[in-house]
Amino acid sequence: METGSPDGTGIPGDELVWRGLRPALVRVRRLLLALWAGVLALATAVLLNLFAGPAWASLALLPLALGAWCWRLVERNWRSWRYAERADDLLISRGVLWHEETVVPYGRMQLVEVTSGPLERRFGLATVQLHTAAAATDATLPGLDPAEAERLRDRLTELGEARSAGL
């Protein structure tokens, strides 16, 4: 079985339509990055100033520099996420350095969850979590529109029930 490719050249006659995640996910992840980098820099500055002296407190700039470097990586990671629905399975592709493509057969799905934490709700995002019989093929799709997440959940549940009836 061929899994297809991002440019849509999969199985003949089976046109893959790759969908990406919402751009709001980048804003959420950058907000969390800035928050954690700021807290870490402040804690480092205070502790080093108290126990090692003011000269050592300048090392508190390191978490801020690391946060600035990760700022750009957040968008690169977001761009790498995509998913495609096929007749028998769901493809999830992600990764910049280590590219990973997960194929989740509809007949193997046991549970499809849609979750949305407080920060995700604030930015209009939802996460779809797919559970299968094998833990290695469990998959997550973060950063979806809540309506799309519910549509995907309903469709995957319907297809999962139809495919598992034949097993």
Side-chain angles (χ1 to χ4, degrees):
M1 175 168 68
E2 188 175 346
T3 60
S5 64
D7 60 6
T9 58
I11 299 171
D14 184 19
E15 185 68 27
L16 285 177
V17 178
W18 289 98
R19 295 183 178 145
L21 306 179
R22 292 196 55 205
L25 184 62
V26 174
R27 290 193 303 270
V28 169
R29 289 187 173 172
R30 283 181 172 169
L31 175 69
L32 290 172
L33 175 66
L35 179 73
W36 283 108
V39 167
L40 188 59
L42 183 64
T44 303
V46 168
L47 291 174
L48 285 176
N49 191 28
L50 287 175
F51 296 114
W56 287 95
S58 63
L59 289 177
L61 295 175
L62 288 178
L64 295 177
L66 183 62
W69 181 65
C70 290
W71 187 268
R72 181 165 160 79
L73 295 181
V74 167
E75 187 172 350
R76 286 186 66 197
N77 180 268
W78 167 76
R79 280 194 188 132
S80 73
W81 278 83
R82 58 183 174 235
Y83 68 99
E85 300 173 62
R86 294 197 309 179
D88 295 323
D89 48 35
L90 177 73
L91 302 174
I92 300 172
S93 177
R94 65 191 170 281
V96 177
L97 290 177
W98 287 274
H99 184 77
E100 185 176 333
E101 191 167 298
T102 305
V103 180
V104 184
Y106 296 137
R108 298 290 182 190
M109 283 189 226
Q110 293 182 333
L111 177 67
V112 180
E113 290 181 300
V114 175
T115 59
S116 187
L119 196 56
E120 285 179 312
R121 280 193 308 272
R122 172 71 175 95
F123 283 87
L125 298 172
T127 298
V128 174
Q129 175 74 38
L130 308 165
H131 299 279
T132 62
T137 56
D138 284 358
T140 302
L141 276 170
L144 297 176
D145 180 61
E148 171 65 9
E150 289 178 17
R151 183 205 64 84
L152 192 59
R153 178 198 60 206
D154 294 342
R155 183 171 191 284
L156 294 176
T157 302
E158 179 183 317
L159 289 170
E161 289 172 357
R163 299 295 193 281
S164 66
L167 292 178

